[in-house]
Amino acid sequence: MLTLATTLTWATPPYPVTAQQRNTAQLVAESGVPLSELAPNAPERYTVKRGDTLWAISALYLKKPWRWPELWGMNLQQIRNPHLIYPGQVLVLTRVGDRAMLQLADDALPTVKLSPRVRVEPLEASAIPALPPGVIEPFLADVHVVDEAAHQNAPRIVAGPEQRVLLARGDRAYARGQTGPSEALSGEPLEPETGTPRLLAIYRNAVPLRDPQTGELLGHEAHAVGRARLVRAERADTAADGQPMLVPATIDIVHASEEIRIGDRLLPPMPRESRAYVPHAPTQPVQGQIIKVHGDAVRYAGQHQIVVLNRGRADGLEPGHVLGLLKNAERVTDRTDDARPTVVLPGERNGVMMVFRVFERVSYALVMQITDGVRVGDRFVNP
């Protein structure tokens, strides 16, 4: 028997489980998974530990880790929410005929007696994540993709104290719209509904993202370098000589991850997105190319590195989609032939990646398994 301390919990937002995933899990729960689908060295027992991810556990049991709904279905009665699996739980693999099922061990938790006390914590706080959180966290809140019009019209910082061009946390600065009073810099400095200070994200001038095949501009990637609080709104006024003039907005820099510069742009802060992802394959055909590999002077992406795709929400991509990576076809010279003909090497399968953030025309994905390095121009397809 386990005697637990009194715990107060609060409601958490719903986690995304599609109808297709739930139907798949229901079907699998009725009979289990074929033994042919199990990973060769699937463990008979596995104790979930801190630092595990859903992807890693899925890879322990299934040949194709993105087929997480099947693993969930194997244990549908005991693990009703696939997003909430906790350290200390023991998974037991049971084989019956040519099928297999996954269950929680009855002895997963030892008998512990605790003195009564009260603590407050969210239920999902200790659940294992789907992906390594430290790798993707900066891209959930500090990276934004905007279209050409939004980039051009974003207000910018025009002046700081004592005519300095580099600013830091605690500095007061002034900002204005690109061609006139900006909506982002207008209105009251407090949010009307909550009364909290209005905050703006400070972005470095955005980097254009172009399709590697057509050269089409898909958006501008902006990296947040700080946050600012609106003190006074931008306004139009009249000078002493009767001429119209623009008075820039007053902002206070409240956070800076690096030095803020004159010319940096302001956008409404992006809401922090949920980190609950269920790995799953797209239901429709998908194909595209890698348009960027993140990292300083990095040409190739390896495991747990982030790449940008030339497909997004408009193309049906969503967080959790797993995609197969293909090496781009490569032209080489056959040096064994005196004529030195050029031959084209086929685009071989190279690994898989998982989409974790989606914009209208581009997406961000984390490379999960890889054979060789991923580079700009490499293709991706359904897994």
Side-chain angles (χ1 to χ4, degrees):
M1 179 179 179
L2 178 64
T3 303
L4 295 176
T6 303
T7 302
L8 302 181
T9 59
W10 58 81
T12 60
Y15 291 97
V17 180
T18 68
Q20 181 186 11
Q21 292 164 1
R22 187 169 295 279
N23 291 338
T24 299
Q26 292 284 0
L27 290 173
V28 175
E30 294 176 1
S31 58
V33 168
L35 295 180
S36 60
E37 296 294 328
L38 290 180
N41 298 316
E44 301 298 323
R45 293 172 66 94
Y46 181 76
T47 302
V48 180
K49 58 184 181 295
R50 197 169 300 279
D52 277 340
T53 63
L54 291 180
W55 180 277
I57 292 178
S58 212
L60 282 176
Y61 286 97
L62 297 174
K63 292 179 179 178
K64 300 176 179 178
W66 60 90
R67 298 181 67 174
W68 173 249
E70 280 88 332
L71 188 61
W72 173 35
M74 291 166 68
N75 189 30
L76 190 61
Q77 296 303 314
Q78 290 175 293
I79 302 179
R80 297 183 180 277
N81 190 331
H83 308 281
L84 300 180
I85 296 180
Y86 298 90
Q89 289 182 326
V90 179
L91 306 179
V92 179
L93 185 65
T94 303
R95 292 176 172 87
V96 179
D98 63 346
R99 315 291 289 188
M101 292 186 177
L102 194 63
Q103 297 177 319
L104 285 178
D106 293 334
D107 59 344
L109 294 175
T111 299
V112 179
K113 199 166 186 176
L114 303 175
S115 301
R117 61 189 176 91
V118 176
R119 66 176 181 265
V120 180
E121 62 180 16
L123 280 174
E124 80 281 9
S126 60
I128 64 171
L131 299 175
V135 178
I136 65 174
E137 186 71 25
F139 290 84
L140 297 178
D142 295 337
V143 173
H144 190 32
V145 176
V146 296
D147 59 24
E148 178 69 14
H151 171 63
Q152 291 297 333
N153 295 328
R156 64 196 186 280
I157 298 175
V158 297
E162 302 173 351
Q163 301 301 309
R164 298 206 318 261
V165 296
L166 298 178
L167 310 172
R169 180 177 178 273
D171 283 340
R172 175 157 288 188
Y174 304 92
R176 56 163 297 203
Q178 186 71 14
T179 58
S182 166
E183 182 178 350
L185 299 178
S186 63
E188 296 298 322
L190 297 180
E191 297 288 355
E193 296 182 357
T194 63
T196 56
R198 284 186 57 193
L199 295 179
L200 296 165
I202 305 173
Y203 287 94
R204 189 71 75 229
N205 281 341
V207 177
L209 298 174
R210 297 187 180 276
D211 189 291
Q213 189 169 13
T214 66
E216 181 185 4
L217 180 64
L218 303 177
H220 289 267
E221 180 186 80
H223 286 256
V225 294
R227 297 284 187 274
R229 176 174 62 88
L230 182 64
V231 178
R232 284 187 294 270
E234 181 182 32
R235 71 182 191 277
D237 207 340
T238 303
D241 59 1
Q243 295 297 316
M245 68 176 185
L246 179 66
V247 179
T250 303
I251 60 174
D252 284 340
I253 298 173
V254 297
H255 170 74
S257 57
E258 57 183 274
E259 289 179 320
I260 310 299
R261 305 173 186 171
I262 301 301
D264 283 348
R265 304 194 180 229
L266 301 168
L267 291 169
M270 288 292 294
R272 187 168 293 274
E273 297 184 0
S274 169
R275 290 182 295 177
Y277 311 100
V278 179
H280 60 288
T283 57
Q284 60 188 27
V286 177
Q287 60 179 345
Q289 288 180 283
I290 306 296
I291 61 177
K292 184 177 181 181
V293 174
H294 269 281
D296 295 333
V298 173
R299 293 183 58 194
Y300 295 91
Q303 186 178 25
H304 290 175
Q305 285 190 273
I306 291 171
V307 294
V308 187
L309 320 181
N310 66 341
R311 297 289 183 266
R313 191 180 299 111
D315 307 289
L317 286 187
E318 61 185 45
H321 269 166
V322 177
L323 302 168
L325 284 161
L326 302 177
K327 290 183 68 68
N328 205 15
E330 186 177 1
R331 295 178 179 272
V332 298
T333 300
D334 181 2
R335 300 185 183 278
T336 65
D337 188 332
D338 293 338
R340 297 292 192 270
T342 298
V343 297
V344 179
L345 302 182
E348 301 285 358
R349 186 176 177 87
N350 194 27
V352 292
M353 59 184 174
M354 180 170 157
V355 175
F356 66 88
R357 191 154 191 216
V358 178
F359 293 93
E360 189 65 19
R361 302 191 66 192
V362 301
S363 299
Y364 290 79
L366 184 68
V367 177
M368 303 302 299
Q369 297 174 344
I370 197 68
T371 303
D372 201 358
V374 182
R375 62 182 179 181
V376 173
D378 281 357
R379 295 176 295 129
F380 61 84
V381 294
N382 293 60

